[in-house]
Amino acid sequence: MFGNRRKAVLVSAALVVGASLMTACQGSDSDSDAAKGAPAVQGSSPVTSAGNAATPPGSPTTGGSQGGGKSSAGQTSGSGGQAATGTTGGGGSADGGKTAKCRTDDLKITAIDGTIGGDRDKTVAVTFKNNGRDCAMTGYAGVDLKTSAGPLSAKRTGEEAPSIVLKSGTSVSFGINYPANESGGSGVGITGLQVTPPGETKTVTLQWPGAATLPVTDGAGSPVKVGPIGSAGQGG
């Protein structure tokens, strides 16, 4: 009986030793697996939580953002260049659409007596007829009278001068006002009229259609006044 008990003790001891050895082996295997798994966690893809927390600089998200910024900047610069070119082209078109000013050579210039009964001063009406293309005109014409006392320049009335486009074949007129010679003397004889269209330097000489003389003045200034373009009406 004693022998049986001894066998039982030996068997129990062997079981304890075996269990210990198995536990140790399992622990060693677990540590080994953990060690093998550690690199897998460190080298995980950006999809893992570790990858989302710190996206590598070369990842598609970061690279795409940087590339997009450069592309946008390039497109903005290109659009600006195109806009500037378009603006320049538009300005050139506007300038090309302006109507040229009226030239002396394209105008038929005539003068008639335009005095209306009862007026204190007398009037000569000068007309510009456009025989060329449509043209622009504004301001005052230059007017000089040839007299027995020498050239006499007319003074502007100071009225506002409109800007007009004189169509081909149409006319515009202005008035020259001067005092009547009621002194009883011979006065100053008028022998001719010189007219220069606004903005031009070429002068046309016409016969004077008005009264033959002007009253003698005291030298206080020219008694002859000229109105702006359109001041004597506009005809077709």
Side-chain angles (χ1 to χ4, degrees), residues 35-53:
K36 291 180 181 178
V41 173
Q42 292 176 358
S44 60
S45 67
V47 178
T48 63
S49 60
N52 291 336

Side-chain angles (χ1 to χ4, degrees), residues 66 70 75 81 91 130 135 143 151:
Q66 291 175 352
K70 292 178 181 178
Q75 291 176 358
N130 182 15
C135 61
V143 172

Side-chain angles (χ1 to χ4, degrees), residues 67-199:
K70 292 178 181 178
S71 175
S72 299
Q75 291 176 358
T76 301
S77 176
S79 299
Q82 293 174 358
T85 301
T87 302
T88 301
S93 176
D95 291 341
K98 289 184 177 179
T99 305
K101 73 175 183 178
C102 297
R103 301 289 185 180
T104 303
D105 290 339
D106 294 327
L107 300 173
K108 180 181 180 180
I109 305 175
T110 57
I112 62 172
D113 186 358
T115 301
I116 298 176
D119 286 353
R120 178 180 177 181
D121 290 335
K122 293 182 176 295
T123 302
V124 166
V126 178
T127 299
F128 294 140
K129 182 176 181 179
N130 182 15
N131 290 329
R133 296 181 179 180
D134 295 357
C135 61
M137 183 181 292
T138 186
Y140 288 75
V143 172
D144 294 285
L145 271 59
K146 291 182 177 182
T147 75
S148 57
L152 179 64
S153 296
K155 288 187 175 180
R156 297 178 178 181
T157 60
E159 299 172 67
E160 184 177 356
S163 297
I164 65 170
V165 173
L166 194 59
K167 298 291 185 179
S168 180
T170 62
S171 303
V172 65
S173 302
F174 67 92
I176 302 172
N177 300 321
Y178 62 99
N181 181 15
E182 299 175 348
S183 63
S186 61
V188 177
I190 305 174
T191 60
L193 171 65
Q194 292 182 321
V195 177
T196 307

Side-chain angles (χ1 to χ4, degrees), residues 1-17:
M1 182 158 180
F2 178 76
N4 290 336
R5 181 178 297 175
R6 184 177 181 181
K7 288 181 180 180
V9 171
L10 290 175
V11 170
S12 298
L15 290 175
V16 170
V17 172

